[in-house]
Amino acid sequence: MLKQSDFPRKSETNRAEVLSEALPYIQEFAGRTIVVKYGGAAMKDSNLKDKVMRDIVLLSCVGARPVVVHGGGPEINTWLAKLGIEPQFKNGLRVTDAATMDVVEMVLVGRVNKEIVSLINQAGGRAVGLCGQDANLIRARPQGEEGIGFVGEVSSVKINLLESLVNGGYIPVVSSVAADETGQAYNINADTVAGEIAAALGAEKLILLTDTAGILEDYHNPDTLIAKLDIQEARGLMQSGIVSGGMIPKVNCCVRSLAQGVRAAHIIDGRIPHALLQEIFTDAGIGSMIVASEFRNR
């Protein structure tokens, strides 16, 4: 007589189905570079943080080549408060005077970066922490807006070090601090850094972890998520005002990386556990995927 224990539990069956669904994606992305911009709630919630690190290690274990880029705004604000420095913003950009730049560099390079490296290593990966100044990985230039101090843009990216690391099975973790030709450090938006690194590496995917479901036709209604769109459609949404506020620089970053050869850019909700794996390894995905026009119907 068959017992209940002779049948697989539902959860085990579901797990097997998920793995089966993931197989073609694992095969497709083996050996491909995936740049992940890590930020938002996934960076602040310790439970989510651990899950993201495990997901990044899993990507590496199944043959993908993950590169992690991070900022760290909330942690910067915490340390500015400890030092009695009032955070200031202008047109959405952090005003970065010399004292603030010292804190930004200390927090992003010295604390946040090393914590991410440690967590990835604890999860079984082999992470190496970098900033834009290492081996002149990123050359910065001033953003140019008056009164914002040492806020920079990416002038150039040298990928030799990153390629050496990923070819060796390491996971680079890059903080968004870089210097100009004189050695002056600049604070650069982490989305921008991730997009430029993805373009320079010819990445298969750029994935931005955010605190939104993705691109919404109505930002009040998560059911209006746009799952897939191309560059022209993305630009149209910005021109019409459907994409607005803090989503504009994210979508711009995605469009710019696609125009430089990245195959797909994703904006996903990092508040959802394992959002990274759901977006990459399932048929439905979980966020918004932007592609170059020639890949719109693939």
Side-chain angles (χ1 to χ4, degrees):
M1 178 183 293
L2 292 173
K3 303 175 184 176
Q4 184 65 37
S5 59
D6 293 326
F7 294 93
R9 291 194 299 271
K10 187 175 181 180
S11 62
E12 292 174 345
T13 303
N14 290 345
R15 199 173 294 126
E17 289 172 350
V18 167
L19 289 171
S20 179
E21 183 178 326
L23 177 59
Y25 297 103
I26 291 171
Q27 292 170 323
E28 180 180 356
F29 300 132
R32 307 289 180 87
T33 300
I34 297 175
V35 176
V36 179
K37 188 271 179 165
Y38 174 54
M43 206 169 193
K44 294 175 277 187
D45 182 309
S46 59
N47 187 42
L48 286 171
K49 190 182 296 185
D50 289 339
K51 287 181 169 58
V52 172
M53 298 305 128
R54 290 176 61 85
D55 291 352
I56 289 167
V57 172
L58 191 149
L59 285 176
S60 181
C61 287
V62 298
R65 294 151 52 103
V67 176
V68 180
V69 177
H70 70 88
E75 181 110 0
I76 292 169
N77 289 340
T78 297
W79 279 90
L80 287 173
K82 288 180 179 180
L83 296 169
I85 301 172
E86 183 72 26
Q88 297 181 55
F89 293 87
K90 182 178 179 181
N91 297 329
L93 298 171
R94 181 186 297 278
V95 176
T96 310
D97 58 14
T100 301
M101 189 63 233
D102 285 344
V103 175
V104 168
E105 198 165 7
M106 175 189 75
V107 171
L108 294 189
V109 180
R111 289 185 59 86
V112 176
N113 186 269
K114 297 314 169 193
E115 181 192 21
I116 296 169
V117 167
S118 178
L119 289 170
I120 290 175
N121 290 341
Q122 287 174 42
R126 295 196 297 161
V128 176
L130 303 167
C131 73
Q133 291 149 303
D134 291 311
N136 290 322
L137 170 60
I138 299 164
R139 182 72 79 191
R141 63 172 177 256
Q143 194 266 356
E145 189 170 333
E146 192 169 341
I148 58 172
F150 299 111
V151 176
E153 293 181 341
V154 176
S155 176
S156 63
V157 179
K158 291 184 178 179
I159 60 173
N160 309 61
L161 179 57
L162 290 178
E163 287 187 324
S164 295
L165 289 169
V166 295
N167 288 340
Y170 295 96
I171 301 171
V173 179
V174 184
S175 66
S176 55
V177 172
D180 65 14
E181 64 278 356
T182 71
Q184 172 60 54
Y186 284 85
N187 180 24
I188 306 179
N189 178 275
D191 291 331
T192 301
V193 171
E196 294 300 315
I197 285 177
L201 288 171
E204 178 74 19
K205 290 183 178 293
L206 166 67
I207 301 178
L208 307 182
L209 287 172
T210 70
D211 288 348
T212 64
I215 300 173
L216 305 174
E217 287 190 45
D218 175 1
Y219 74 92
H220 295 294
N221 183 0
D223 292 334
T224 64
L225 175 72
I226 303 172
K228 189 175 184 180
L229 62 164
D230 63 22
I231 290 176
Q232 284 69 31
E233 289 166 330
R235 286 174 174 153
L237 291 174
M238 286 189 285
Q239 290 167 1
S240 69
I242 290 175
V243 169
S244 60
M247 188 60 76
I248 290 176
K250 294 185 185 300
V251 174
N252 265 329
C253 157
C254 292
V255 167
R256 180 174 168 82
S257 70
L258 292 167
Q260 295 180 83
V262 174
R263 290 288 296 273
H266 305 250
I267 299 173
I268 67 173
D269 193 341
R271 299 169 298 181
I272 298 173
H274 303 300
L276 194 57
L277 299 185
Q278 291 184 62
E279 180 69 9
I280 298 173
F281 292 138
T282 66
D283 295 337
I286 198 170
S288 296
M289 178 171 70
I290 309 173
V291 297
S293 299
E294 60 265 32
F295 301 118
R296 179 66 177 88
N297 297 314
R298 294 190 185 181

